[in-house]
Amino acid sequence: MSKIKYVWTEEMLSPLGEAGVMIRCGDAISDEVHRRVISVCTWLEGDPFPGMVELVPSFASVALFYDPMVVAGFARSASAKGLSESSPYQQVCRMLLSRLGMLEESVHNQFRTIVIPVCYGGPFGPDLEYVAREHELTPDEVVTIHTSGEYLVHMIGFAPGFPYLGGLSKRIATPRKATPRLRVESGTVGIGGEQTGIYPVATPGGWQCIGRTPLKLFRPEHDLPSLLQAGDRVRFEAITEQDYMEWKEGEG
């Protein structure tokens, strides 16, 4: 597997509250920047520094959270290296740049492909016909286009387990609703601009609702509560309403 070396500088780090650092991995949403985001997370999870608490990947950056007390304590024990003379944030930046300087990005990261069954239209996808009219397509054509793509999970956010999926065909890209719904049911598959996503829990939302999956995306009883993770690939598969009901009955 070939590797890419990337030059990291202090300008790519910025404070995030009192106990966080934003690591900027690029200036655009792209596969290259996404690979860098995932590589940073994988590298730091494998070689964490004292006091590192959590990493949160997004489209073009990684939010890193740390415990300032642990960082300061480590700095005092490492005073011979001059760390104790700076703030916890400065200490974290030094440790980050040291680790990131050794990072070599994988050109091809390991990833999972997860198939999501979806019942499109009807009561499960009340906006499917609207999306079709907007693009002078039939509802079946919208479904065919939506299920023919492979989507990249750029990040998880907005609601617990909500995946922001890149790779939507421009043929069905549709702006969000001018007035959000007060309630979108869990499992609803929506289109928001040039992205598609899945509501893991019932919540207000403004995406165009085109279908619903019987899969649970947010599972708080699991060690990893989100079914999908940044870096995963997603494919959608159309199912009938009867399939949907049988799937839900099987879960019960």
Side-chain angles (χ1 to χ4, degrees), residues 56-68:
V56 181
S58 64
F59 289 110
S61 62
V62 176
L64 182 148
F65 298 96
Y66 58 89
D67 186 328

Side-chain angles (χ1 to χ4, degrees), residues 48-122:
F49 58 80
M52 193 177 92
V53 174
E54 185 180 14
L55 295 167
V56 181
S58 64
F59 289 110
S61 62
V62 176
L64 182 148
F65 298 96
Y66 58 89
D67 186 328
M69 298 300 292
V70 174
V71 171
F74 171 74
R76 285 193 294 271
S77 67
S79 58
K81 300 179 182 180
L83 287 176
S84 61
E85 298 176 0
S86 53
S87 68
Y89 170 75
Q90 293 171 321
Q91 295 155 16
V92 167
C93 288
R94 291 182 188 177
M95 289 187 285
L96 273 177
L97 288 174
S98 174
R99 281 164 170 75
L100 292 174
M102 297 182 288
L103 170 65
E104 290 182 335
E105 302 168 33
S106 298
V107 174
H108 300 291
N109 288 296
Q110 296 289 333
F111 61 84
R112 304 180 301 165
T113 298
I114 298 175
V115 177
I116 305 291
V118 180
C119 182
Y120 288 92

Side-chain angles (χ1 to χ4, degrees), residues 9-196:
T9 65
E10 292 183 7
E11 288 72 23
M12 296 173 181
L13 307 178
S14 58
L16 187 62
E18 296 181 351
V21 179
M22 184 67 75
I23 307 170
R24 183 165 55 82
C25 300
D27 299 316
I29 299 175
S30 67
D31 287 347
E32 177 186 354
V33 173
H34 171 76
R35 286 197 300 269
R36 190 170 303 133
V37 167
I38 299 302
S39 294
V40 167
C41 290
T42 301
W43 183 254
L44 291 176
E45 286 170 352
D47 184 26
F49 58 80
M52 193 177 92
V53 174
E54 185 180 14
L55 295 167
V56 181
S58 64
F59 289 110
S61 62
V62 176
L64 182 148
F65 298 96
Y66 58 89
D67 186 328
M69 298 300 292
V70 174
V71 171
F74 171 74
R76 285 193 294 271
S77 67
S79 58
K81 300 179 182 180
L83 287 176
S84 61
E85 298 176 0
S86 53
S87 68
Y89 170 75
Q90 293 171 321
Q91 295 155 16
V92 167
C93 288
R94 291 182 188 177
M95 289 187 285
L96 273 177
L97 288 174
S98 174
R99 281 164 170 75
L100 292 174
M102 297 182 288
L103 170 65
E104 290 182 335
E105 302 168 33
S106 298
V107 174
H108 300 291
N109 288 296
Q110 296 289 333
F111 61 84
R112 304 180 301 165
T113 298
I114 298 175
V115 177
I116 305 291
V118 180
C119 182
Y120 288 92
F124 295 152
D127 298 321
L128 178 61
E129 292 191 5
Y130 169 80
V131 172
R133 288 196 305 271
E134 285 292 294
H135 298 282
E136 300 181 346
L137 300 168
T138 66
D140 286 345
E141 287 173 329
V142 172
V143 172
T144 297
I145 294 169
H146 194 257
T147 55
S148 65
E150 182 175 84
Y151 303 91
L152 172 64
V153 181
H154 281 283
M155 61 179 288
I156 303 294
F158 163 61
F162 186 101
Y164 286 87
L165 306 176
L168 182 70
S169 170
K170 294 183 183 298
R171 295 175 64 194
I172 56 174
T174 311
R176 293 169 174 80
K177 301 180 77 64
T179 302
R181 286 185 171 89
L182 295 179
R183 181 182 175 91
V184 177
E185 298 298 331
S186 63
T188 296
V189 177
I191 290 175
E194 295 187 3
Q195 295 185 86
T196 187

